[in-house]
């Protein structure tokens, strides 16, 4: 069976504890403008894990006009992200 471009080289990577969440995040990144480095899932997976990924985190671009790439993206916990986007919600998350 041939591999599709950009698919994980090791299917067990995608099925790992964090792999499914990171894989879904990566698929969304690939729909937009992104760097060549993130064309392959294993590279994106490594970046996410080295950046402290945990289940439930979101990916955000620092500069919304720049492409997705390691130097332009950060991971946020859901509550932290919402508090930054909607400061008035911060109190709700901290209760």
């Amino acid at each position: 069976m041939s591999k599709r471009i950009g698919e994980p080289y090791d299917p067990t990577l995608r099925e790992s504890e964090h792999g499914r969440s990171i894989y879904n995040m990566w698929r969304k990144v690939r729909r937009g403008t992104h760097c060549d480095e993130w064309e392959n899932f294993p590279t994106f997976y490594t970046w996410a894990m080295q950046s402290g990924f945990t289940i439930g985190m979101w990916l955000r671009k620092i500069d919304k006009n720049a492409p997705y790439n390691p130097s332009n993206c950060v991971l946020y916990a859901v509550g932290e992200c919402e508090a930054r986007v909607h400061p008035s919600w911060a109190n709700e998350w901290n209760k």
Side-chain angles (χ1 to χ4, degrees):
M1 183 172 165
S2 64
K3 297 176 190 164
R4 295 186 317 189
I5 294 174
E7 287 296 306
Y9 295 109
D10 179 0
T12 59
L13 181 64
R14 188 173 67 196
E15 301 302 326
S16 67
E17 181 182 357
H18 295 92
R20 177 59 62 189
S21 295
I22 295 172
Y23 183 76
N24 289 335
M25 188 184 302
W26 173 72
R27 288 181 58 200
K28 291 175 186 174
V29 164
R30 291 192 64 224
R31 289 183 203 145
T33 305
H34 61 280
C35 65
D36 291 340
E37 183 180 354
W38 280 359
E39 188 62 28
N40 292 308
F41 176 67
T43 306
F44 182 78
Y45 178 89
T46 300
W47 173 85
M49 293 305 292
Q50 289 175 347
S51 297
F53 178 84
T54 59
I55 299 294
M57 291 189 115
W58 291 359
L59 179 73
R60 289 285 184 238
K61 291 197 296 184
I62 297 166
D63 177 354
K64 293 183 183 200
N65 297 315
Y68 286 99
N69 65 65
S71 63
N72 188 42
C73 292
V74 292
L75 294 169
Y76 286 108
V78 174
E80 180 183 356
C81 185
E82 291 299 325
R84 288 176 188 247
V85 174
H86 304 284
S88 62
W89 295 3
N91 291 334
E92 294 300 315
W93 286 101
N94 294 323
K95 288 183 178 179

